Amino acid sequence: MTTVVDVEDVWFGYDTELAVKNVSLRIEEGQYIGLIGPNGSGKTTLLKLMLGLLQPDRGTVQLFGEPTAKFSSAKRIGYVSQRSTDKDVAMPMTVAEVVEMGRYAHRGRRRLRSSDRRIIDDALERVDIADLAGHRIDRLSGGQRQRAFIARALASEADLLALDEPTVGVDASSREAFYGLLSELNEEGITIVLIEHDLDIITTHVDTVACINQTLHYHGESARFLESDALTEAYGKHHGILHHDHS
Ligand code: ADP
């Protein structure tokens, strides 16, 4: 099995505040892993460390077998950051232009070829937004916008999708459809790492859970997560997060 991400005894702090300590975990090719933990528990920080957007103070992170500081194959990763559903971020680009960005790493300075066009069209079809290709991305609904970012990752032919709370602000039915799409992509072989606060999503869709609160409290099969003590350890006794939260 190929290891996609290998985190070894990683520590990271912002100025004086420790955000991640002593985390070790591996993500293998084809896995669908959910990162869960209370607000401010270091999930986004850990994801950024995994992708080389931050460098650890201690420990090592390898991405596709390379230290992240030297990693040079950005096209292998599709990252959808937390702000991508933020309606206040003006983005005067069409959906097609956003998805074309996925081809940059492949074509460099050359013009788009018909083969690139085909890949872009296929990506738009795959996420079911071909009809929106000419629409401005910042005028779409949150769910449609997320699909456009996934299409960008598909156009770059990414092997790893990293998603940071991708459905915040997305309505419940679009959310279900979106997670259905992610499951399909995972079944087709794409490795997925997902930050998600909804336990129902975590326990029904992902195969592996990593529960953190600075340090790792659980890393294993999602089916066993609820039986473990990790929820109480990471969230405290009165975590109250077992209920659905579609806010
Ligand atoms: P989560 O994604 O679990 O909500 P984060 O990784 O965003 O947690 O944050 C972990 C901790 O690091 C929090 O205490 C947060 O306030 C702090 N933090 C996050 N980003 C920064 C930053 N850019 N500068 C300083 N502190 C930060």
Side-chain angles (χ1 to χ4, degrees), residues 38-241:
N39 277 339
S41 62
K43 301 180 296 295
T44 299
T45 305
L46 180 60
L47 189 64
K48 287 181 173 171
L49 286 160
M50 287 176 174
L51 302 178
L53 300 170
L54 292 172
Q55 287 301 317
D57 298 331
R58 261 178 67 185
T60 56
V61 185
Q62 301 221 353
L63 196 51
F64 295 102
E66 269 186 87
T68 53
K70 293 189 185 151
F71 186 72
S72 55
S73 199
K75 64 188 174 198
R76 300 192 73 177
I77 298 165
Y79 174 45
V80 182
S81 70
Q82 219 170 29
R83 298 203 65 195
S84 42
T85 41
D86 195 336
K87 286 201 169 15
D88 298 334
V89 179
M91 226 180 152
M93 298 175 90
T94 65
V95 170
E97 284 165 346
V98 167
V99 180
E100 276 171 22
M101 285 163 61
R103 296 307 297 161
Y104 284 171
H106 292 265
R107 68 188 171 97
R109 287 173 180 272
R110 71 172 167 76
R111 283 166 170 272
L112 285 175
R113 293 188 177 133
S114 58
S115 56
D116 295 309
R117 287 265 166 237
R118 207 161 35 243
I119 290 167
I120 291 162
D121 291 345
D122 285 351
L124 286 164
E125 291 280 348
R126 186 71 191 74
V127 304
D128 222 7
I129 53 166
D131 53 330
L132 300 175
H135 290 229
R136 264 202 33 188
I137 187 131
D138 53 359
R139 298 196 181 142
L140 302 183
S141 71
Q144 291 167 332
R145 197 187 298 204
Q146 284 304 39
R147 285 172 180 266
F149 288 115
I150 299 294
R152 182 180 64 184
L154 295 179
S156 82
E157 298 174 309
D159 304 304
L160 171 66
L161 268 183
L163 308 152
D164 193 343
E165 298 205 355
T167 59
V168 169
V170 173
D171 67 80
S173 69
S174 310
R175 200 174 144 101
E176 277 303 312
F178 181 76
Y179 283 110
L181 168 67
L182 290 188
S183 293
E184 280 172 30
L185 295 174
N186 177 247
E187 275 156 30
E188 289 164 20
I190 297 183
T191 308
I192 301 180
V193 48
L194 167 74
I195 295 180
E196 172 58 63
H197 65 273
D198 186 326
L199 263 186
D200 286 343
I201 298 285
I202 287 291
T203 49
T204 50
H205 289 274
V206 310
D207 54 54
T208 307
V209 168
C211 176
I212 70 161
N213 194 350
Q214 287 195 344
T215 190
L216 197 59
H217 289 277
Y218 181 90
H219 178 219
E221 280 176 47
S222 57
R224 300 222 159 143
F225 173 59
L226 291 180
E227 301 163 9
S228 75
D229 294 330
L231 260 184
T232 315
E233 280 176 26
Y235 286 80
K237 258 203 169 96
H238 306 288
H239 48 72
I241 60 155

